[in-house]
Amino acid sequence: MTENTLKENGFPYNPSLLENGKISAFDYLKYHFGYQLVASNLKIENGKVSFMITNYGFASPYGYEMRVYIDGKRVMPDKDYVYTDLLQFSQIVYTCSYTGGNIGIEFVNLRDEKDKIRLFNDVPFIDGKNIIYQPNVK
């Protein structure tokens, strides 16, 4: 399937998965059924950090809680995570106070604390946390 075919049919897709503007139907289904969460647009300024979560999948991460950690301490974002905010191909921006250190995001299954979502980013996944920023790592 070409990028134009995906657009014409209104199919959500992650542009980084296309090779030469195309993706096989098998790979499309493999990567997009369920949810596919990606963190992006990280900004740190004036004592605040903001980041965007995009869902490139067809389903939302129902039954999960999002937790944000700054320098290992849990912080509360400016708005509550609500799974319906991340329906297919949705995006939402979260903002938190920032005092320095690593920034981690954790999506925890409310029925099984050991079940955590790994973001579809190339970021460290340590103890169930997706580390989206490390100040000392370039």
Side-chain angles (χ1 to χ4, degrees):
M1 295 188 294
T2 66
E3 185 170 14
N4 285 338
T5 301
L6 296 169
K7 285 179 182 177
E8 288 168 4
N9 288 288
F11 293 163
Y13 66 96
N14 183 341
S16 68
L17 294 176
L18 302 179
E19 288 188 30
N20 299 318
K22 297 177 185 176
I23 189 168
S24 73
F26 173 81
D27 283 343
Y28 181 81
L29 294 174
K30 176 174 83 171
Y31 289 124
H32 293 84
F33 270 173
Y35 46 80
Q36 184 193 125
L37 305 181
V38 174
S40 64
N41 296 16
L42 180 74
K43 293 180 187 167
I44 300 172
E45 57 190 17
N46 302 323
K48 301 269 185 196
V49 61
S50 66
F51 57 89
M52 180 185 296
I53 301 291
T54 300
N55 181 11
Y56 287 104
F58 283 110
S60 66
Y62 173 78
Y64 286 84
E65 174 184 49
M66 183 184 77
R67 299 175 185 167
V68 179
Y69 296 86
I70 306 289
D71 202 26
K73 298 178 188 86
R74 188 168 175 195
V75 298
M76 300 310 291
D78 61 331
K79 58 186 103 180
D80 291 334
Y81 165 76
V82 180
Y83 78 92
T84 54
D85 290 339
L86 286 174
L87 297 176
Q88 69 179 11
F89 204 56
S90 297
Q91 299 176 314
I92 188 155
V93 175
Y94 294 96
T95 302
C96 305
S97 295
Y98 182 72
T99 55
N102 291 353
I103 300 169
I105 302 171
E106 190 177 52
F107 283 88
V108 181
N109 186 315
L110 295 172
R111 294 187 182 146
D112 179 2
E113 288 270 327
K114 294 177 187 172
D115 177 25
K116 299 180 182 177
I117 296 172
R118 185 174 189 152
L119 295 177
F120 210 81
N121 292 74
D122 186 17
V123 297
F125 187 66
I126 302 168
D127 297 326
K129 292 179 185 74
N130 298 275
I131 309 302
I132 62 170
Y133 178 71
Q134 297 176 346
N136 300 324
V137 176
K138 303 273 189 230

